[in-house]
Amino acid sequence: MALSRGLRCCARVFSWIPVLIITSVVLWSYYAYVFELCVFTISNTLEKVAYLLVFHVCFVMFSWTYWKAIFTPPATPCKKFQLSYSDKDRYEREERPDAQKQILVDIAKSLPIFTRATSGAIRFCDRCQVLKPDRSHHCSVCETCVLKMDHHCPWVNNCVGFSNYKFFLLFLSYSMVYCVFISASVFRFFINFWVGDLPNGPAKFHVLFLMFVALMFLVSLMFLLGYHCWLVVQNRSTLEAFSAPVFTTGPDRNGFNVGIRRNLQQVFGDNKRLWFLPICTSQGDGHYFPLKSLSESSTSLLANEEKWDEEEESEDDNISGDRDPSVTVEMDEEE
């Protein structure tokens, strides 16, 4: 037990190494750009001030979004999806497998659950003791079920899901803007140092290396950001792109695709002025998402638990009508 606990502590410590690497590179780039380039190399005061102003705007937005992506806790299923004490006791006391399955089916009838496991089973996590909301998955690293889980990212040491997916996208976007600005503004001095028009010194090494590092990260970010932009437009997570969500009618990669505009609004919100700020504006609460196969009137986002309570009676019949009482229960599924 002590050895296992020690290994888990070591794993948590080592999981911060990628974050420390990114942080170290960014801090070095700040020193190289502000001091070695702007302070010690650029002689024109107006040019120096303009470069510093734009650079600090990019740096602040990058740091802000990176911080939010790292330290925003993953959203987990609310208590409505957890087995109550009585249900859990009834489930554990029941010895007949079919009766246990029926208990979970009865609980799921009052919840907006439309997806199934690949086997057709109701998705149930026996580790967290919750019925999994649509698009949620259990993360073995975070040891919890995460709402609309996209993937566990080592570079932010966090699960990317409903609570921080917008922040992750903005982090990638501002990272690319940061690299583009550095590459564009450093290029002239890179050439001058390379051909020997500027004197050798510590600034030469920093400027040359800064150019190479910025271009290296820029190429990587272009592919990663482009892929996630495509996922947002299609309303898919990374997990759903590799394994299509399964509904009662079968697998459907476009099951949550409700049109480009509404797909974007689900992630960034209705107010376009807040799209580019790392402020939580995503629609809903991550437990329910509109389905392409259902009418718009029956798939409006349930933004909070109070709205569930208000609409629960009218929705129970529709939701239960989509349930298949013969489905089995998926146990110990882990993504």
Side-chain angles (χ1 to χ4, degrees):
M1 179 65 70
L3 179 60
S4 177
R5 186 177 302 172
L7 291 175
R8 286 198 298 269
C9 291
C10 290
R12 291 192 184 97
V13 172
F14 284 117
S15 66
W16 285 100
I17 290 180
V19 176
L20 293 177
I21 292 175
I22 295 295
T23 304
S24 300
V25 172
V26 172
L27 291 177
W28 165 79
S29 70
Y30 183 90
Y31 167 78
Y33 193 92
V34 172
F35 293 97
E36 296 294 344
L37 178 65
C38 292
V39 176
F40 302 138
T41 303
I42 299 177
S43 57
N44 187 296
T45 304
L46 183 60
E47 183 181 15
K48 183 183 302 186
V49 171
Y51 279 6
L52 286 174
L53 180 61
V54 178
F55 173 82
H56 278 91
V57 171
C58 297
F59 181 81
V60 168
M61 295 307 298
F62 164 82
S63 302
W64 188 7
T65 54
Y66 192 40
W67 176 275
K68 295 285 285 186
I70 294 173
F71 294 106
T72 300
T76 57
C78 70
K79 61 182 180 180
K80 287 181 177 291
F81 291 82
Q82 298 174 353
L83 297 184
S84 65
Y85 178 81
S86 59
D87 289 333
K88 184 178 179 181
D89 182 67
R90 183 161 57 100
Y91 177 80
E92 292 177 346
R93 287 179 179 273
E94 183 58 64
E95 297 180 355
R96 296 170 298 171
D98 291 341
Q100 288 182 326
K101 297 170 186 177
Q102 188 59 45
I103 291 173
L104 295 178
V105 169
D106 293 338
I107 298 172
K109 287 180 179 179
S110 61
L111 299 172
I113 298 177
F114 295 92
T115 55
R116 299 289 186 267
T118 54
S119 62
I122 291 178
R123 303 194 314 135
F124 175 75
C125 180
D126 62 339
R127 295 190 178 187
C128 300
Q129 293 292 296
V130 296
L131 294 174
K132 294 182 179 181
D134 292 347
R135 314 186 79 176
S136 67
H137 298 274
H138 185 89
C139 177
S140 58
V141 179
C142 297
E143 298 180 347
T144 188
C145 287
V146 179
L147 295 179
K148 195 188 175 185
M149 180 178 172
D150 188 89
H151 69 287
H152 186 91
C153 180
W155 298 108
V156 299
N157 192 28
N158 197 4
C159 251
V160 178
F162 175 79
S163 62
N164 64 347
Y165 189 55
K166 176 187 175 183
F167 305 148
F168 179 74
L169 290 174
L170 291 178
F171 157 63
L172 295 180
S173 301
Y174 285 116
S175 297
M176 200 170 87
V177 171
Y178 186 72
C179 292
V180 167
F181 174 74
I182 288 179
S183 302
S185 58
V186 168
F187 181 74
R188 176 166 61 91
F189 302 96
F190 170 82
I191 297 298
N192 290 338
F193 274 119
W194 190 264
V195 299
D197 289 345
L198 292 175
N200 292 329
K204 179 178 181 178
F205 164 79
H206 288 286
V207 170
L208 294 180
F209 198 57
L210 188 62
M211 186 70 183
F212 284 121
V213 171
L215 289 176
M216 179 182 67
F217 277 98
L218 177 60
V219 173
S220 302
L221 288 167
M222 284 176 60
F223 288 103
L224 186 57
L225 179 60
Y227 175 68
H228 277 280
C229 288
W230 176 79
L231 289 178
V232 171
V233 170
Q234 298 294 323
N235 204 342
R236 299 177 192 170
S237 66
T238 299
L239 294 176
E240 291 167 351
F242 285 97
S243 179
V246 180
F247 301 86
T248 53
T249 55
D252 185 0
R253 292 187 183 276
N254 295 312
F256 296 105
N257 188 347
V258 291
I260 295 178
R261 181 180 62 84
R262 293 180 64 195
N263 292 342
L264 291 172
Q265 288 175 341
Q266 283 188 28
V267 176
F268 296 101
D270 298 321
N271 191 344
K272 294 183 179 180
R273 291 177 296 180
L274 301 178
W275 279 18
F276 300 101
L277 294 178
I279 300 172
C280 185
T281 56
S282 300
Q283 292 181 334
D285 61 2
H287 293 84
Y288 171 77
F289 299 90
L291 303 179
K292 180 182 179 181
S293 59
L294 300 181
S295 63
E296 184 172 351
S297 60
S298 63
T299 58
S300 58
L301 282 168
L302 303 182
N304 49 56
E305 293 185 14
E306 288 75 19
K307 192 168 183 179
W308 286 6
D309 294 332
E310 295 172 2
E311 300 184 358
E312 188 172 28
E313 293 183 0
S314 62
E315 290 186 349
D316 278 350
D317 294 337
N318 294 332
I319 296 174
S320 60
D322 291 327
R323 298 285 185 267
D324 184 357
S326 65
V327 296
T328 57
V329 179
E330 176 196 31
M331 303 296 294
D332 204 14
E333 177 192 0
E334 182 173 324
E335 302 296 338

